[in-house]
Amino acid sequence: MVTKREIVYTVLRERANEWTSGLMLVEAGAGWRYSARIHELRQAGHVIERRRSLGSAVWDYRLVIEDVAPGQIPLPLVAA
């Protein structure tokens, strides 16, 4: 079973360095408490920025991964 934290992380990672609407996280199955999952990911060491969506009370988020162009997922350093 996939946890809501894994859903949030997967969506943000697939859109690395791109802004992602909180509504997109809800639609992906993270639920309306997605901000709690983002807090957990930050505590685990992930850099996640936020900004207010234009004309909305919802926030946008992005997972910051250095040396990765927006929308480009980095390749793993070691094959699994």
Side-chain angles (χ1 to χ4, degrees):
M1 183 172 149
V2 177
T3 66
K4 293 185 186 272
R5 182 179 356 172
E6 291 170 330
I7 292 170
V8 170
Y9 179 74
T10 299
V11 171
L12 292 176
R13 182 152 174 89
E14 287 175 353
R15 298 175 49 80
N17 299 322
E18 290 184 34
W19 290 105
T20 302
S21 168
L23 294 177
M24 183 180 286
L25 296 173
V26 171
E27 290 171 359
W32 283 103
R33 291 198 25 93
Y34 60 84
S35 61
R37 307 299 71 85
I38 289 172
H39 177 74
E40 293 169 357
L41 291 169
R42 285 178 174 148
Q43 285 186 318
H46 298 284
V47 177
I48 301 173
E49 297 176 340
R50 75 176 185 161
R51 71 175 183 190
R52 176 83 62 185
S53 293
L54 298 175
S56 174
V58 178
W59 292 89
D60 294 331
Y61 299 89
R62 71 175 167 190
L63 175 66
V64 177
I65 301 177
E66 293 185 28
D67 299 328
V68 175
Q72 179 185 20
I73 300 173
L75 298 174
L77 297 177
V78 179

